[in-house]
Amino acid sequence: ADMTADDLDVSELEIDMKIKLNSEGLADWHVVRNTHTWTPRELHFQFFNRHLWFHVHSNVPYDPHTEKLFEPDVWYDVKIQYSVEEKNLIFYINGQLDSEVEFSTAHPIKLSRGYYGIWSGHRNFNGEIHHVKFTDTESKEVVSKLTPKSAKKAKYMSFLKKKDCDYFKSNAG
């Protein structure tokens, strides 16, 4: 798919979130945020078998995930750092290093329209998402976020530039 005006290329990304899984269906896919489609360089960010997965289509390795098994009904503060230049991905859980993944092939992420908490009608998040914030660490701009206030109104949300995030926040209710 070609990039649209709403798409952003991000080579250095930080994700900060507070999240809790429920005890039901822990072996299923639980979407935090997936792009609308699944084409090269798009990000699917989701839980499976109690691990948090960070799939960038066409990266090698393809399926990095946390070492930690997330326990149900426990709140976690998670920070993830992705770098094309360093060819790595680092997971922090509750302020502690969980794991680091080295890529042989790392692409800039094409941030495009996508969904929080659901994808393709069959991958739903089973738990609570307090907040999720995606920051382009090169420009220091917040490129997408989901807050408790916006989560009540939005089922999906495009990645937007900072000025648009401010607009969304003020119009989210």
Side-chain angles (χ1 to χ4, degrees), residues 56 58-62 102-107:
V56 177
S58 304
N59 272 9
V60 178
Y62 170 74
E102 298 294 327
F103 294 101
S104 59
T105 304
H107 297 284

Side-chain angles (χ1 to χ4, degrees), residues 17-21 32 47 74-76 78 125 128-129:
M17 68 179 189
K18 185 171 184 174
I19 202 156
K20 175 175 78 168
L21 291 173
V32 177
F47 284 92
V74 175
W75 282 104
Y76 291 95
V78 179
F125 186 80
E128 296 179 55
I129 300 172

